[in-house]
Amino acid sequence: MDSSVSKILVLFVLVLFSAYFSATETAFSACNRIRLKNMAADGRKKAAAVLKLSENFDRVLSTILIGNNLVNILATVIATSLFIEIFKSETVGSAVSTAATTVVVLIFGEITPKSIAKDSPERFAMFSVPFLRILMVILAPLNLVFSTWKKLVSLVFKPKNDINDTEAELLTMVEEAQTEGDMEAGEVELIRNAIEFNDIEVGDILQPRVDVVAIETEDEWDEVDKVFRESGYSRLPVYRDTIDDIIGVVNQKDFYMAKEHSLRSITKPIDYVVPTMKISELMIKLQKSKAHMAAVADEYGGTAGIITLEDVIEELVGEIWDEHDEIVEEFRQINKDEHRILCSANLDDMFEYFDMEADVDIPTVSGWVVEELKHMPIPGDTFEFEHLSVKVTKCDLRHVLEIVVKVNEKNNKDEE
């Protein structure tokens, strides 16, 4: 009887160890490194220890799996011996032992501890780290054997190092935080803009050549003054002979303080950039040169347009208006199904407005309308795009100005 009691006590201890290893595995797999770093920065030594062990997760995992398998095997052996002793039959004892051990280990050694550790992984990882470090020292020879085996397997199968789509993961995390109510819509939009900021190119947001308001080096003082007043801009690009040769930029403040001196004397140099340049790189470039505007060169060496620091910042924080800006609604609902769209709007923004996705590599609504019609549009032109009916309502000789979009009901084929 004393032998049976001893075996039961040993089994109890072994199941506890099994629970420890299972919970530790879950804790180290699910713990939040950012939260641990904050804890370590606050002086919590165990959080720092968990972070250090996490850097060599393969060794940690190998130690946990070795320990877990050892205690489970030992528990099975002792349980078999116990039930054979109780039932006085090797066959019956082995069968009962297998069933009982499986149920006990599954409930108390796997499911329950893993569920508990998953709810507070950082706390349990810090609890488990002292004993885990001792085990890693004890099991170091076995860990060395398994790490060598892993290297050999890697040489044979040569697994590819897949790069995680970190941006997509971050966006998903942000959307989940918004759904759960942890973040406001404005915060989510700002974070989304910041994540996508590095993917935007200058060509996506530049002010096109046809819309550039500029002055020539030989313009009269009164003419420049008129342009400043009518445009409302605080800076104007300056060109020589043709808009394709922008030589600099004039600041409104410098202009009015110059008192009719030479226009060239107050013209500051301007940087040239290419349309494929990332706006994150452009921001750094403008900051270094202490400039607010850059000219964008096209593939032929001419001027594709201009871009300002304000254009770049608006990609992060949204539209910036001052008291002199004329506020224009790019998207306005006319009635239940129809919407007025300004064709200077970004095409991706329009698709987002209609809650749809389309793989169209065109930056503006105007360019998209021309591409769909295959000719220079005139008022009254119409076309269909997915579940949208588009009608041109305003245009000039050079581009489309305004369209009206009617939203039709999606048919079953579209939904599928």
Side-chain angles (χ1 to χ4, degrees):
M1 192 64 168
D2 291 339
S3 173
S4 298
V5 172
S6 299
K7 288 176 181 178
I8 291 172
L9 290 175
V10 172
L11 279 172
F12 178 76
V13 173
L14 290 173
V15 171
L16 284 180
F17 272 109
S18 178
Y20 166 83
F21 287 120
S22 297
T24 302
E25 179 185 354
T26 300
F28 271 84
S29 300
C31 63
N32 188 311
R33 289 183 61 84
I34 296 174
R35 197 172 297 154
L36 286 170
K37 286 181 179 179
N38 290 334
M39 292 179 181
D42 291 337
R44 301 182 68 170
K45 294 181 179 179
K46 287 187 177 180
V50 172
L51 280 172
K52 188 175 181 180
L53 288 182
S54 298
E55 292 174 0
N56 193 356
F57 183 72
D58 285 346
R59 189 180 170 197
V60 171
L61 184 61
S62 146
T63 301
I64 293 171
L65 293 177
I66 291 171
N68 201 20
N69 278 283
L70 286 175
V71 297
N72 286 343
I73 291 170
L74 188 56
T76 302
V77 171
I78 294 175
T80 302
S81 172
L82 173 64
F83 283 107
I84 289 174
E85 184 179 324
I86 293 173
F87 290 100
K88 309 299 183 184
S89 168
E90 185 173 338
T91 304
V92 176
S94 297
V96 174
S97 169
T98 301
T101 305
T102 301
V103 172
V104 171
V105 171
L106 187 64
I107 295 174
F108 299 104
E110 295 288 338
I111 296 174
T112 302
K114 285 186 175 183
S115 299
I116 295 171
K118 186 177 181 296
D119 291 335
S120 52
E122 295 82 18
R123 184 182 300 177
F124 196 90
M126 289 189 290
F127 164 77
S128 65
V129 75
F131 184 59
L132 184 61
R133 284 194 291 191
I134 296 172
L135 282 176
M136 290 177 71
V137 174
I138 296 173
L139 298 176
L142 284 174
N143 277 329
L144 180 62
V145 171
F146 284 111
S147 63
T148 305
W149 171 251
K150 180 188 173 184
K151 290 177 182 177
L152 291 173
V153 172
S154 299
L155 289 174
V156 173
F157 291 100
K158 296 180 180 179
K160 294 182 181 179
N161 294 322
D162 295 329
I163 300 174
N164 292 328
D165 192 352
T166 309
E167 288 188 7
E169 291 175 357
L170 285 172
L171 287 171
T172 302
M173 290 170 62
V174 170
E175 289 171 0
E176 287 180 355
Q178 182 183 14
T179 303
E180 294 172 3
D182 296 331
M183 298 182 70
E184 298 294 335
E187 294 173 328
V188 171
E189 186 65 25
L190 183 60
I191 294 173
R192 184 184 289 113
N193 290 344
I195 293 171
E196 297 174 345
F197 186 71
N198 199 48
D199 296 330
I200 302 172
E201 296 181 349
V202 168
D204 296 330
I205 64 170
L206 61 77
Q207 185 174 357
R209 170 196 171 105
V210 294
D211 295 330
V212 172
V213 178
I215 52 177
E216 191 178 358
T217 54
E218 303 302 326
D219 280 348
E220 296 294 331
W221 207 259
D222 290 341
E223 293 176 1
V224 177
D225 177 59
K226 183 179 179 182
V227 174
F228 267 120
R229 292 180 184 279
E230 291 182 351
S231 67
Y233 294 135
S234 58
R235 293 174 182 83
L236 292 174
V238 181
Y239 64 89
R240 181 170 45 211
D241 298 329
T242 171
I243 193 70
D244 285 318
D245 186 17
I246 296 178
I247 62 170
V249 60
V250 168
N251 189 299
Q252 186 184 45
K253 182 179 178 181
D254 295 336
F255 173 76
Y256 286 114
M257 291 182 66
K259 297 180 180 178
E260 300 195 12
H261 290 171
S262 168
L263 192 60
R264 290 177 182 270
S265 65
I266 58 172
T267 300
K268 296 180 180 179
I270 191 169
D271 291 322
Y272 267 87
V273 297
V274 294
T276 54
M277 185 180 195
K278 301 295 185 183
I279 61 173
S280 55
E281 298 172 7
L282 174 65
M283 176 178 276
I284 296 172
K285 183 180 180 68
L286 292 176
Q287 287 175 324
K288 286 182 178 179
S289 61
K290 295 181 175 61
H292 287 75
M293 181 185 294
V296 185
D298 63 20
E299 57 187 310
Y300 305 107
T303 299
I306 61 168
I307 187 167
T308 65
L309 188 59
E310 182 179 325
D311 295 328
V312 176
I313 295 174
E314 284 180 340
E315 291 301 312
L316 274 176
V317 300
E319 202 70 32
I320 300 173
W321 305 95
D322 63 32
E323 61 273 20
H324 301 296
D325 286 339
E326 180 185 353
I327 299 178
V328 178
E329 290 184 271
E330 292 183 328
F331 312 105
R332 182 167 62 85
Q333 187 168 358
I334 302 172
N335 53 50
K336 182 181 177 182
D337 299 322
E338 293 186 325
H339 304 259
R340 182 188 64 82
I341 310 295
L342 294 186
C343 293
S344 57
N346 182 278
L347 184 60
D348 290 335
D349 291 343
M350 189 194 79
F351 286 144
E352 185 176 345
Y353 176 77
F354 289 114
D355 194 22
M356 58 186 290
E357 295 181 5
D359 186 17
V360 182
D361 190 21
I362 297 174
T364 64
V365 175
S366 176
W368 171 69
V369 172
V370 173
E371 177 67 21
E372 289 296 316
L373 289 173
K374 305 300 182 186
H375 64 262
M376 185 55 66
I378 60 173
D381 281 345
T382 60
F383 65 90
E384 300 289 325
F385 184 86
E386 295 190 7
H387 64 289
L388 303 179
S389 296
V390 181
K391 181 179 181 180
V392 177
T393 53
K394 288 184 183 179
C395 59
D396 59 20
L397 295 176
R398 295 180 296 178
H399 48 267
V400 194
L401 300 175
E402 182 184 284
I403 58 174
V404 170
V405 178
K406 182 179 180 182
V407 181
N408 304 312
E409 291 185 7
K410 295 182 181 179
N411 57 41
N412 293 333
K413 184 178 180 180
D414 290 337
E415 291 176 352
E416 290 173 2

